[in-house]
Amino acid sequence: MSAFTSEALPSADEARAALTALRQEVGKAVVGQDETVTGLVVALLCRGHVLMEGVPGVAKTLLVRTVSAALSLDHKRVQFTPDLMPGDVTGSLVYDQHTAKFEFLRGPVFTNLLLADEINRTPPKTQASLLEAMEERQVTVEGSPVALPDPFMVAATQNPVEYEGTYPLPEAQLDRFLLKVTIPLPERAAEVEMLGRHADGFDPGDLAAAGVTPVAGAAELHAARLAVEGVRVAPEVLGYIVDLCRATRQSPSLQLGASPRGATALLRTSRAWAWLTGRDYVTPDDVKALAKGTLRHRVSLRPEAELEGATTDGILDGVLASVPVPR
């Protein structure tokens, strides 16, 4: 049951304006990451999770911290390491000598925005401990479910280099991420601006000093989610989403195409993007805009295609170019 009443909620336009302002607010601390910010907002609107991939030092951690501050959400960070145990993430039972009972000590997963840093550096058992939290939004303690806060989102990071000593995420867990966002190195102008800020005394540990203030909260996010659910999708656009996903399954360069869950995810992200851009209906361009972010981690290249230099994004670009767009 929602904690909000219709009278207490802001209007859909107010919620959209607040979430649109988020990009500018994050820009006070992070330079040139608009696409990643958009991905995080879309995932929050869809009650989904985000996998962020980028080399070390591109401000992945700072970005998540800034988004949580600008949305007035609680956040926690877990550094995933080879010796991390499932209880270190979800929590564990601790014996209380005063009450002579075992009490559940909640882990860092009990937050609004969980930054799972370098998630592929921890063993599969610990990775799997997140599956229930991500899918069911709960943690089971001695057979009883304990609900996680709402909103709840996992923003996981992984590096595209240094694969030695890592545990690649299994397909089942990759599929639980709504979006995979690739974070490129900044353009020269953005990097110069970033260095200028540091030269002027910018402290990544003090977001308040950088002027980052909350522009939205749980109420705006709840109102936005309700509005997204009302975004209309024509049968032709539904067919376009299905045709795109089916085309990935027939691509000779892919050994694994997008599943029906991928099609459902693309529908959800397209509706959220349409609403953010000010419309109450989805267009094929909305689908195109979110297709790569929604599908790139749900398809798998054939080894021979990988040896020939093919990339997942390149194959998806070809699929988008080949599937007829409804008029």
Side-chain angles (χ1 to χ4, degrees), residues 29-41:
V30 183
V31 181
Q33 296 289 5
D34 287 353
E35 183 177 347
T36 310
V37 174
T38 299
L40 290 172
V41 173

Side-chain angles (χ1 to χ4, degrees), residues 253-327:
S253 299
L254 296 176
Q255 63 180 357
L256 178 67
S259 68
R261 193 205 302 267
T264 303
L266 185 52
L267 169 63
R268 293 163 61 200
T269 57
S270 300
R271 292 174 83 181
W273 177 244
W275 180 82
L276 278 172
T277 52
R279 281 176 284 102
D280 63 352
Y281 59 92
V282 176
T283 69
D285 285 340
D286 297 323
V287 178
K288 287 183 176 181
L290 274 297
K292 287 198 290 187
T294 308
L295 301 179
R296 61 165 58 104
H297 57 299
R298 304 175 192 272
V299 300
S300 179
L301 286 171
R302 292 188 183 278
E304 54 269 29
E306 198 166 0
L307 287 173
E308 293 172 359
T311 64
T312 299
D313 280 9
I315 299 301
L316 290 176
D317 282 331
V319 167
L320 288 168
S322 64
V323 175
V325 180
R327 297 184 178 273

Side-chain angles (χ1 to χ4, degrees), residues 64-65 67-69 71-77 107-115 149 151-153:
V64 172
R65 286 179 49 234
V67 168
S68 65
L71 288 177
S72 193
L73 297 177
D74 181 41
H75 86 281
K76 290 185 175 68
R77 174 181 177 272
V109 75
F110 286 88
T111 187
N112 297 126
L113 189 50
L114 177 68
L115 174 60
F152 169 72
M153 183 177 79

Side-chain angles (χ1 to χ4, degrees), residues 2-276:
S2 172
F4 300 100
T5 63
S6 57
E7 292 80 6
L9 284 177
S11 69
D13 289 339
E14 290 170 338
R16 184 187 293 112
L19 292 175
T20 302
L22 174 68
R23 185 177 298 178
Q24 181 178 353
E25 201 65 24
V26 172
K28 295 178 180 178
V30 183
V31 181
Q33 296 289 5
D34 287 353
E35 183 177 347
T36 310
V37 174
T38 299
L40 290 172
V41 173
V42 166
L44 280 167
L45 291 177
C46 298
R47 296 178 173 84
H49 310 283
V50 178
L51 180 62
M52 301 185 295
E53 184 174 89
V55 298
V58 291
K60 298 186 291 293
T61 302
L62 177 61
L63 177 64
V64 172
R65 286 179 49 234
T66 308
V67 168
S68 65
L71 288 177
S72 193
L73 297 177
D74 181 41
H75 86 281
K76 290 185 175 68
R77 174 181 177 272
V78 178
Q79 180 67 49
F80 280 71
T81 57
D83 60 349
L84 195 73
M85 300 297 291
D88 297 329
V89 178
T90 60
S92 56
L93 291 172
V94 177
Y95 184 74
D96 188 336
Q97 293 182 344
H98 296 289
T99 62
K101 294 181 179 179
F102 283 96
E103 301 288 342
F104 179 62
L105 184 64
R106 297 189 173 199
V109 75
F110 286 88
T111 187
N112 297 126
L113 189 50
L114 177 68
L115 174 60
D117 220 351
E118 295 190 287
I119 190 173
N120 58 333
R121 292 206 174 277
T122 202
K125 185 176 182 179
T126 305
Q127 291 176 3
S129 68
L130 274 179
L131 275 178
E132 181 186 17
M134 292 171 65
E135 190 70 13
E136 307 295 335
R137 299 180 184 275
Q138 67 181 30
V139 170
T140 300
V141 181
E142 289 195 321
S144 300
V146 180
L148 294 173
D150 185 34
F152 169 72
M153 183 177 79
V154 173
T157 73
Q158 65 178 18
N159 298 328
V161 294
E162 295 185 307
Y163 284 118
E164 185 177 353
T166 63
Y167 303 84
L169 294 175
E171 301 298 336
Q173 187 161 349
L174 279 173
D175 209 28
R176 295 312 195 272
F177 286 98
L178 182 70
L179 292 166
K180 180 182 178 182
V181 180
T182 55
I183 305 179
L185 289 168
E187 300 288 340
R188 183 180 185 278
E191 196 165 0
V192 169
E193 181 182 348
M194 179 191 69
L195 289 183
R197 293 185 181 186
H198 282 269
D200 291 337
F202 170 69
D203 179 7
D206 190 356
L207 295 177
V212 177
T213 57
V215 295
E220 285 80 9
L221 193 55
H222 186 72
R225 287 173 168 178
L226 291 177
V228 168
E229 291 174 0
V231 173
R232 294 176 286 112
V233 190
E236 295 81 6
V237 177
L238 290 176
Y240 180 55
I241 293 173
V242 170
D243 290 343
L244 285 175
C245 292
R246 292 178 68 87
T248 66
R249 302 169 203 161
Q250 297 163 2
S251 171
S253 299
L254 296 176
Q255 63 180 357
L256 178 67
S259 68
R261 193 205 302 267
T264 303
L266 185 52
L267 169 63
R268 293 163 61 200
T269 57
S270 300
R271 292 174 83 181
W273 177 244
W275 180 82
L276 278 172

